[in-house]
Structures are given as C-alpha cells and as structure tokens.
Amino acid sequence: MSTQENLSQPSAQQPLLTALLALSTLLLVKQTSWIWGSLYFQHHTLAEVVIALGLMLVWVIAGVALLRLILGQAISYKVTNVGIALVFSLVVFRYLQQIELIPAHPTTLHKTLALASGLAAGLLTLKIRQDIWKRLHLAVIVGGLIFTLLPVVLANTLAPTVYWPSPSDQPPTQQAPKLPAQNTIVLLLDEFSASAAGPVVDQLKDAGLHVTSTSIDPAGKNTINVIPAIWTRSNFDQSVACGPTQLCSASHVLDFAKVRASSANIDIVGFFHRYCSIQGLRSCSFPVPTATDGSGLACSFPGLSMLEFLGCDEKTDIRALSISMRDSMQNSLLEAPFWQKGGILFAHLLVPHPLMGVPMKSLSDEYTDNIANGARLVKLVAQKAKLVFGNDFKIIIFSDHPLRPEIWCAGKQYIEFGCTPDASQISTKVPLIIATPSVETPAHKKIKKNQAVFDLLFK
C-alpha cells in the first residue's frame, strides 16, 4: 500500500481525534456566551462547566463511534467532517448575532443565507482529501481552544481599574472625590419605560415624599450594553461576556474585579452582572440559582437539548426562576446593612422585566402587573426609609432601558395571549425619579442620559 493510501485511511486514533475536533469546533458555537457567559451571567461554577464539557465530550465520542459502526470508517469520517463544517457555519452566524450585524431574531433571508453557507461549507469538505484533514486536525483543536480561552486573557490584560461611582465629568479610571455623607437608595428597575412610570411616582407620593420625575436617554439597548457603559462611560453596543467577570466591546473592557468602590459604605443588591466582584463594597447580594450537576448547563448546548434522557425540558422553568430571583433580591434589599448604618444602597432589580407572569398573560397585562409589583416595593422602601432615617434620605429611581417589544414579540412566549403592548408602555426613554422628604433641588435637570445618574450621589 502506498504512502498516499496510508494517509488517506483514518488511523485507529482517528475517531478520538475527530471527536476532539468536533468538540473543539462545537465550543466555538457559543464561545463567550456559553463558556464565559455561563460563568458571568448564570453564576455557574467552574466545576459545573467542566462537568458539562465532560458530558459533551462523551456525547461527541459516542456519536462518532456509532457513526463508524453503522456507516463504516470512511463514510462516517466524511459525515463527521460535513457536520463540523455545518456547525462552524453556525459559529459564524452566532458570532454575527453577538456583535449585532445579524438581528437577535433573524429574518427568513438571514436563515436561508446561513443554511446555504453551511451546506456549501459541508460540500467543500468532501473535496478535501483525508490526509489533509488529518494534518489539520491538531491545528484546529489547538486553534479552537486558543480562540475560546484568548478572550479572557486579553480582557485581563486590557481591563483598566475603574472607580465607581465617580462623576461623569472625569474619567472613571481617575479616583473619585470623596462622597458626601448621605442616606441614598438608588433603584434600577430593569426594563422600565419612562411612559409607564406613573404608578411608581404615585406610590412615592402616597408615602408622603416630594417627587420630581423626568425622562432620560438610555446608554444602550440592553442591560449587557447599558451597565458597562454606565460604569466606564464608553460605548458597549457590541458587549459580550469575555471572561468570568469581564465584558468586552471592540477595544473596551470592563472587568468588575477591577472596579473599586469609591466609598466603604456602599451596599449592592443585583443580578445578571458581576456586581459582587467589585472591590471595597460593604456588602453585596445576588440571587444564586439552584446548584446543578452540570447536566442543566449541558442542556443549553446545541443538540443536547434534544436528548430526552437529560430531561432538558424539565431543567428550566424560567418564569418560576425569575419570580424566585425577584423575591430574593427584594428581601435582600430590605435586609441590607444600609438600614442600620446608612450610606448608599444600589439595587438592580428584576422588575418590571417580562417573563414573570404566572399564570401566563399577554405582554401588556403582565407588564402592568410587574410595574404594580415594583411600585409596591418602592412604597415599602420609602416607608422604611422614613422610619429609619426620618427626613434625611433620598431615593433615586431609574432604568437601564425601556420595554423591548421587538424582542418579546419575536419569541414564542406571548403568542397565545397576545403581544401588543399598550401605547402607554412604549417609549424610547427611561425615567429618572427623585424622591425626598423635603423639596429637592433641581439637580436632575442636568442628567440627560442614564450614564450620568450616579452624579446625583455627589450633589
């Protein structure tokens, strides 16, 4: 047998190499949004991620072995390579979605082009000789791992030290001036439209407070864009998780582990973002989802959700989880050290964010209910502040972004009950509400964008 023929026949180790290649390629499918996103947003532990990767590796090796048994070595090799090409096309498609060159809910044209590209890439692999594939395998395996791990290395290198809060008229990398003594509660109500702020304002007035309210511009379209833009005052329109505590957008990096609190009397209650990695906080609380054995994490991986033995359909009840997170944060808010020691209490709360209606309702009705829930909490906070601090406190309420019907109505969550928000719930702006026991000076008039909301802590 010639050397060429030897090269063209897969070796005994080829199924394992092919499986590793497939896994390496699959890792790229969600890249930062799966590995780093799981650690950043979902608070999975590194051990859970390793377990999930192990499950995937077993699945890939078993699949390759089964193909080899059924189709034979030569044909299964070609089928696997075609599959890898299709998955790699999905990698590119998902990445373009992450950087918003393709919408989060793609059109039929986008899907057709993606499918055509994947099929073309798959057919192309049939033209590549197996000896060339064999030589490329190790390079692709190593390249895939580097591509997956490189973001966190770069993020750690490039992320500057950021001081928070700091006035918007100076770079966030410059140490902030000393914060004046105060008892200030800052509430970020997630996905709160300026046009729907009425119930919250009314509850604050019912609590006997003087209230000023205005509308300001958001610093981005989604929480992942807005929060890093507020912390760094840089553009994060293409923000993605690039490490366990890092967000990246083009050349901008925010690493919450490199954020330093500007005062030692700050408490934070929040979710989604890695607020509790901030250095120098007095306290920090975030809701922790129920620990898993890794299979729940694996269910988020393309293809694995179809394996019935993992019970993926039963792993996540997003509405029950959202309600649990909401209630946990509200309890933490009312139990923070702030209520005994004063200072600053910042809470990023999961209201009036959708996906918390049980039983299921239309988007409009659910959003109305969620705003009412948030308004009741705000009144409770106001009453407790009066009881604890008398007339010496301030409540600041704002939002990251308004209601996003273009996202919720593009999915399947509200189709059965309708997905047409009331006109009063739609806005391009978010509210800025300031409530005090006495008449407030018009400092809010200088705030035009939510990037500058924390300026009010220095007044």
Side-chain angles (χ1 to χ4, degrees):
M1 185 177 290
S2 67
T3 302
Q4 181 62 36
E5 287 174 335
N6 282 330
L7 284 173
S8 65
Q9 293 298 319
S11 65
Q13 291 78 34
Q14 200 61 57
L16 178 58
L17 284 174
T18 303
L20 290 173
L21 175 65
L23 178 63
S24 180
T25 307
L26 286 170
L27 287 178
L28 305 183
V29 175
K30 291 189 173 181
Q31 192 211 6
T32 56
S33 65
W34 187 77
I35 295 177
W36 303 128
S38 292
L39 290 170
Y40 182 93
F41 302 120
Q42 301 176 38
H43 300 287
H44 287 292
T45 65
L46 187 58
E48 288 179 317
V49 172
V50 170
I51 291 173
L53 289 175
L55 286 172
M56 293 172 212
L57 182 57
V58 170
W59 175 63
V60 171
I61 292 176
V64 171
L66 186 61
L67 277 177
R68 185 183 180 192
L69 180 64
I70 296 174
L71 302 177
Q73 186 168 268
I75 296 178
S76 66
Y77 192 66
K78 291 181 180 180
V79 170
T80 303
N81 288 337
V82 170
I84 291 172
L86 290 172
V87 171
F88 188 78
S89 299
L90 178 59
V91 172
V92 176
F93 186 75
R94 289 283 179 85
Y95 183 74
L96 293 176
Q97 281 184 304
Q98 283 186 10
I99 62 175
E100 299 185 1
L101 292 180
I102 292 177
H105 296 280
T107 64
T108 302
L109 176 60
H110 289 124
K111 294 178 181 178
T112 302
L113 290 174
L115 179 60
S117 300
L119 291 175
L123 292 174
L124 181 62
T125 65
L126 299 177
K127 301 295 184 181
I128 301 176
R129 298 199 315 272
Q130 290 181 358
D131 60 307
I132 296 178
W133 270 110
K134 181 178 178 181
R135 292 165 179 159
L136 289 174
H137 276 182
L138 183 59
V140 174
I141 292 170
V142 174
L145 293 174
I146 290 175
F147 187 64
T148 304
L149 298 173
L150 185 60
V152 71
V153 176
L154 292 176
N156 273 298
T157 304
L158 299 176
T161 296
V162 170
Y163 295 90
W164 173 85
S166 63
S168 60
D169 59 358
Q170 70 174 52
T173 53
Q174 178 180 330
Q175 190 159 1
K178 184 178 180 181
L179 283 161
Q182 58 191 294
N183 303 308
T184 301
I185 305 158
V186 183
L187 302 179
L188 191 165
L189 304 187
D190 200 292
E191 198 149 341
F192 189 22
S193 298
S195 56
V200 172
V201 171
D202 291 341
Q203 290 285 19
L204 288 168
K205 290 180 177 179
D206 285 347
L209 301 184
H210 295 274
V211 183
T212 57
S213 179
T214 188
S215 299
I216 58 177
D217 293 317
K221 295 188 292 184
N222 306 296
T223 301
I224 192 174
N225 310 121
V226 173
I227 297 303
I230 292 176
W231 255 246
T232 66
R233 294 188 285 279
S234 301
N235 185 304
F236 267 78
D237 285 349
Q238 296 179 347
S239 183
V240 294
C242 52
T245 60
Q246 296 95 5
L247 291 173
C248 298
S249 180
S251 61
H252 302 300
V253 182
L254 170 63
D255 185 349
F256 276 99
K258 292 187 177 181
V259 177
R260 298 181 183 274
S262 300
S263 175
N265 63 349
I266 299 176
D267 303 318
I268 289 184
V269 177
F271 77 107
F272 195 79
H273 288 289
R274 284 292 190 173
Y275 295 115
C276 293
S277 295
I278 296 175
Q279 301 179 47
L281 296 174
R282 178 171 57 195
S283 74
C284 186
S285 175
F286 61 89
V288 181
T290 303
T292 71
D293 58 2
S295 61
L297 180 57
C299 285
S300 68
F301 201 83
L304 283 184
S305 59
M306 295 183 290
L307 299 182
E308 294 182 2
F309 68 85
L310 286 178
C312 289
D313 290 340
E314 303 171 1
K315 290 292 180 185
T316 303
D317 183 345
I318 190 169
R319 290 179 173 273
L321 179 61
S322 296
I323 291 172
S324 175
M325 291 173 62
R326 178 198 68 189
D327 294 344
S328 174
M329 283 187 288
Q330 292 181 1
N331 291 335
S332 296
L333 169 66
L334 297 173
E335 296 171 0
F338 168 82
W339 300 106
Q340 288 77 43
K341 301 178 180 179
I344 296 168
L345 172 58
F346 169 66
H348 179 175
L349 301 175
L350 189 57
V351 287
H353 196 285
L355 293 182
M356 284 193 296
V358 177
M360 184 77 173
K361 298 180 179 180
S362 69
L363 176 62
S364 180
D365 289 342
E366 184 183 311
Y367 193 64
T368 298
D369 290 346
N370 293 348
I371 289 176
N373 178 282
R376 287 192 294 271
L377 175 65
V378 166
K379 183 176 183 179
L380 187 60
V381 168
Q383 291 172 333
K384 184 166 184 174
K386 288 185 68 175
L387 181 64
V388 173
F389 301 113
N391 292 326
D392 184 20
F393 71 91
K394 179 191 299 182
I395 299 175
I396 301 169
I397 300 172
F398 73 111
S399 184
D400 46 356
H401 54 80
L403 178 65
R404 302 163 296 173
E406 68 279 3
I407 290 180
W408 303 114
C409 296
K412 299 179 181 179
Q413 297 97 337
Y414 297 98
I415 290 178
E416 181 180 354
F417 297 92
C419 196
T420 304
D422 187 270
S424 64
Q425 299 171 341
I426 304 299
S427 177
T428 59
K429 295 180 179 291
V430 295
L432 174 59
I433 303 167
I434 303 174
T436 59
S438 57
V439 178
E440 173 69 12
T441 57
H444 68 282
K445 292 184 178 180
K446 297 180 180 180
I447 309 297
K448 304 299 181 183
K449 204 168 186 176
N450 58 7
Q451 278 178 305
V453 163
F454 291 102
D455 285 4
L456 296 170
L457 301 179
F458 292 87
K459 305 300 180 182

